Amino acid sequence: QVQLVESGGGLVQVGGSLRLSCVASGRIVSMDPVSWFRQAPGKTRDLVATINGGRANYVDSVKDRFTISRGDAKETFYLQMSSLKPEDTAVYYCTASVLDDEFHRWKNYWGQGTQVTVAS
């Protein structure tokens, strides 16, 4: 089975930066699209950023502050966050559509989430 694991969350001050990583493991042939979601307490889980077919897209609230990127290894992708605001506080989840060489089909997987807290 494929697993995704996020890392890099933590407590940062307003205006600070943080880089989240997502690493997939398993019998992975390809991952596309790859995405980051976030969910604050009492809120829905919303898309933050995605790369689909090499094209990046962002929710308006993070445009020009966040950057999603793929790593050199196909199993890794990142979310670079800068100019962080209190409203960015949430659990951040990575997700990816994965083609594996066990079942030879595309499936969607989610990480367990990593907490990002932005404090004044």
Side-chain angles (χ1 to χ4, degrees), residues 41-54:
K43 303 291 186 179
T44 57
R45 185 177 298 186
D46 296 326
L47 179 67
V48 176
T50 188
I51 300 177
N52 191 342

Side-chain angles (χ1 to χ4, degrees), residues 17-73:
S17 298
L18 207 59
R19 188 195 197 198
L20 306 183
S21 300
C22 184
V23 178
S25 61
R27 298 175 61 177
I28 298 165
V29 177
S30 183
M31 303 198 313
D32 193 14
V34 299
S35 306
W36 289 94
F37 284 70
R38 67 185 181 187
Q39 186 169 22
K43 303 291 186 179
T44 57
R45 185 177 298 186
D46 296 326
L47 179 67
V48 176
T50 188
I51 300 177
N52 191 342
R55 182 174 183 178
N57 289 281
Y58 304 89
V59 68
D60 285 345
S61 59
V62 308
K63 276 187 171 68
D64 303 316
R65 298 191 299 119
F66 290 11
T67 301
I68 184 171
S69 61
R70 303 291 297 261
D72 291 336

Side-chain angles (χ1 to χ4, degrees), residues 66-120:
F66 290 11
T67 301
I68 184 171
S69 61
R70 303 291 297 261
D72 291 336
K74 65 180 183 297
E75 301 88 358
T76 306
F77 60 103
Y78 306 95
L79 185 68
Q80 178 67 50
M81 305 182 293
S82 62
S83 301
L84 284 162
K85 305 174 180 179
E87 51 263 44
D88 295 319
T89 295
V91 177
Y92 284 71
Y93 299 88
C94 64
T95 184
S97 183
V98 177
L99 176 63
D100 69 79
D101 66 4
E102 181 178 10
F103 300 106
H104 306 284
R105 63 186 298 173
W106 293 88
K107 296 182 179 180
N108 198 62
Y109 293 88
W110 290 83
Q112 82 291 342
T114 185
Q115 177 70 47
V116 172
T117 302
V118 184
S120 299

